[in-house]
Amino acid sequence: MTENASQQPPAPTTELPTQYAPADVEGPLYERWVERGYFEADAKSDKPPYTVVIPPPNVTGSLHLGHAFEHTLIDALTRRKRMQGHETLWQPGMDHAGIATQNVVERELAKEGKSRHDLGREAFVERVWQWKAESGGQISGQMRRLGDGVAWSRERFTMDEGLSQAVQTIFKRLYDDELIYRAERIINWCPRCLTAISDIEVEYQDDDGELVSMRYGDGDDSIVVATTRAETMLGDTAVAVHPDDERYRHLVGTLVKLPLTDRSIPVVADEHVDPEFGTGAVKVTPAHDPNDFEIGQRHGLPSLTIMDEHAVITAHGPFQGLDRLEARSAIVAALRAEGRIVAEKRPYVHSVGHCSRCKTTIEPRLSMQWWVKVGPLAKAAGDAVRDGRVTIHPQEMEKRYFDWVDNLHDWCISRQLWWGHRIPVWYGPDGEVVCVGPDEQPPSGEGWRQDTDVLDTWFSSGLWPFSTLGWPERTESLAKFYPNSVLVTGYDILFFWVARMMMFGLYAMDGTPPFHTIALHGMVRDQFGKKMSKSFGNAVNPLDWMDKYGSDALRFTLARGANPGVDVPIGEDWVQGSRNFANKLWNATRFALMNGATVEGPLPEPSAMSSTDRWILSRLNSVVAEVDAYYDDYQFAKLSDTLFHFAWDEVFDWYVELSKTVFQAGGEPAKVSQRVLGEVLDVTLKLLHPVVPFVTETLWTTLTGGESIVIADWPADSGFRDAAAEREISSLQSVITEVRRFRADQGLQPGQRVPARLTLDGTSLAPHETAIRQLLRLQPEGDSFTATATLPVAGAEVALDLSGTIDVAAERKRLAKDLAAAEKEKAQATAKLGNEAFLAKAPDQVVDKIRTRLAKAEEDITRIQSQLEKLPPA
């Protein structure tokens, strides 16, 4: 065997197994694609580039339906562009997922009775790398199952050497430009993960709590405040009222006694206070509330931290050592004992922030952290969309984007973790602070130490579109493939990730945004529109459906639901329907091959074709144009639905069926139709390939003998249209559909033959008499023919002799019974809808059901009366 034998295409065959077995096809096909390098990208190529980055999944993750959905859309885009002649790069990789990964490894250590502190920082980080090598990244194998056409040789990890250099480089540049700084501010603190988290990593939900109103001070100088977090009163350093609130004007500037403490605190006037809410007076705890912190800054108030990192009370007194929730109850009890509780409301439903990773209630906490000054960066990110350099699709999502970037607060980027990119700042023995770039030596000597915090995971993933291409080096790949052509991602991380990439890309790449288009999709939900969750019991492992129905079936189902920016419902029966479509595609191609369908040679001239041939080619070109337009508009649902109905309804149900009589007759017309059918299948399979790659590869290579559909040319609209042929076949379809409906109404079996006279003279249907008779099971009229039913349709007339096929008397009796039942249903529904008392009391859904019943009854009456009129006399 020669060295290149594995690279040779399989020998063409015109035979297919009787059934499609995805499990036997998909794995070997994918490995063949990878081995042949179809998905790799060459920076030296002179082809126009098309670049998409994968939203890097967490190294802790596994493929869920959301991944499968997003990857299907990206893969469809990149496969099409590859076929269109672009140098296509779909960049793969994974995120180190700081908090999530550290939590996983800490849980593993806990099983051994250890904590990360038992190992120490260096050994713990080594343990995480070990876990990553052994257990992380299983999603890569699952991506292969799905058929992701990514450039595996370029796979990156946010903690690999190159990306780590990029992180250190941009930190240093931002620091030198005074866009990164260290300051003590209120942050979102997770007492479980023991780290700060950013605003966008906080999930808000309505929780049952309590609203407690308590009196500070005594007599005329007392003031009542309300709070849901009574435990924080230990850290109060003021009471605030609105400057224009006459009720408290006499108290502004005075001191009130803070209960349970030996302190007196001032009453200050601040416009932040809403005089209409509660008592119009609020307690101010600058160290434990972001709004209070701002009030404290404006009035020079001290900030008293009363909790440690575990949310345990540290303030001196009887509450020291209590958990925050234990302290809440104890403090309310103590205040009640002093007669200072004015009112209590339980339950009091209010919005509470939770850690998005561990679901622990967030504790606002004053803390020294590192921050990005986002003002100029966010303005640049907003301007890039406003001036058209970046397009957000669908356009209505722009408002969400602007609402975010136009009101962005400075970004807390430090995390109190050990796993992640360590902040490249060193502190000296005399208060020195030195930020070190990747090519610089950190300071050494006695007393020098590196900052112990790591960077927010989104800091490194925000560099993804250019760090994966070799930045900060000016590599060939960076020059070729930056900016990305499109970013395909969920609207839920528009703020987490997209805004970060926009800010960093514009900053690092001299004002060039990281992508031309942001295409936002919705979330996958169950068939009832409910969010998928393990706790709801409706979560689905996509591998189960791929095992059962094939990867193509899952992909096609997801794509058919993908309307821009809209959530996608999905149920197993829909996947099963897509499997049926793949089987239909398989069986139709088998039929075509068995009947000589071919792609050899040019298409015959239109003058040599039948109207049926011209019709399907005209429709084919229209579909090519429609699919291209939908792709360019990211309308995956519409392009998938267009292809489904064209393939199933027009090609399989009509053109293939109409061609059977031609193939049976043989001769030159059969040769023409064999070439036309081959063309139609060739183009249809190419159009379907980006969404259903496996079955189309198998069928196309068998049909054409080509090397691979992956590298085949994308179809182009030839411009051929034949409106006359489309009208003619539309008339033919009307005749066949109407007569089939009549046969079904009369209870005739599909294969039952009926004598018929066809009057087609003067219509375009005359050449189709043989096909009409064959498809409708109509035999010649014969000498004893009696027209018992006549159907005028599309300018033609079909007369049927049913005298020997049905018991007319029995059929009239059956239909009369059905008519009476429908009329009774109509009368009952009409009576109820005419009853004003009933309408006044009945729920809307009940009334709607009765209206639906009435409409159905009226429809049934019309249909049955029509059937009775068409029956011959008994």
Side-chain angles (χ1 to χ4, degrees), residues 56-74:
N58 288 351
V59 68
T60 57
S62 60
L63 189 73
H64 56 66
L65 271 179
H67 286 126
F69 172 56
E70 187 167 77
H71 290 201
T72 294
L73 305 187
I74 300 174

Side-chain angles (χ1 to χ4, degrees), residues 210-218 221-242 245 247-248 251 256-259 265-268 273-275 277-285 292 295 331-332 335 339-345 348:
E210 59 183 2
L211 182 66
V212 179
S213 298
M214 46 198 183
R215 184 180 302 278
Y216 289 6
D218 299 294
D221 293 336
S222 68
I223 192 165
V224 176
V225 298
T227 182
T228 59
R229 304 174 68 227
E231 69 279 10
T232 63
M233 60 86 59
L234 299 174
D236 286 359
T237 57
V239 173
V241 297
H242 195 276
D245 195 329
R247 293 171 296 176
Y248 304 116
L251 292 177
V256 294
K257 183 70 180 293
L258 181 66
I265 58 177
V267 178
V268 300
V273 179
D274 179 2
F277 180 76
T279 64
V282 298
K283 57 191 287 299
V284 181
T285 319
D292 292 4
I295 293 175
I331 287 170
V332 170
L335 290 168
R340 292 195 172 277
I341 299 297
V342 176
E344 296 178 70
K345 183 177 181 181
Y348 179 73

Side-chain angles (χ1 to χ4, degrees), residues 28-29 35 64 180 206 226 246 389 412 448 469 493 544 634 658 688 700 730 734 752 769 787 792 865:
L29 262 188
E35 288 170 7
H64 56 66
I180 283 183
D206 288 341
E246 295 291 341
R389 282 175 289 159
C412 176
W448 283 94
L469 297 172
I493 58 172
D544 293 340
Y634 304 100
L658 290 169
L688 282 165
W700 186 86
S730 178
S734 297
Q752 191 171 354
E769 179 167 354
Q865 287 174 338

Side-chain angles (χ1 to χ4, degrees), residues 691-710:
V691 180
V692 284
F694 294 108
V695 67
T696 51
E697 168 81 334
T698 306
L699 296 176
W700 186 86
T701 53
T702 304
L703 172 71
T704 67
E707 179 183 340
S708 173
I709 197 171
V710 176

Side-chain angles (χ1 to χ4, degrees), residues 13 32 108 116 118 153 157 185-186 206 230 253-254 297 389 449 518 538 598 633 658 690 712 718 746 850:
T13 174
R32 188 187 307 159
E108 293 295 314
R116 60 181 163 122
D118 294 324
S153 70
F157 179 54
R185 291 189 177 179
I186 289 285
D206 288 341
T254 67
Q297 292 289 297
R389 282 175 289 159
R449 60 183 178 84
I518 302 168
N538 62 351
T598 180
D633 199 34
L658 290 169
S718 71
Q746 304 308 316
I850 294 172

Side-chain angles (χ1 to χ4, degrees), residues 367-388:
S367 179
M368 183 67 76
Q369 301 285 344
W370 286 94
W371 304 81
V372 172
K373 186 185 295 183
V374 299
L377 302 175
K379 182 182 183 302
D383 290 346
V385 175
R386 287 189 169 95
D387 64 25

Side-chain angles (χ1 to χ4, degrees), residues 1 79 169 382 404 649 776:
M1 182 177 290
R79 284 179 181 270
T169 299
W404 180 256
D649 300 346
L776 292 174

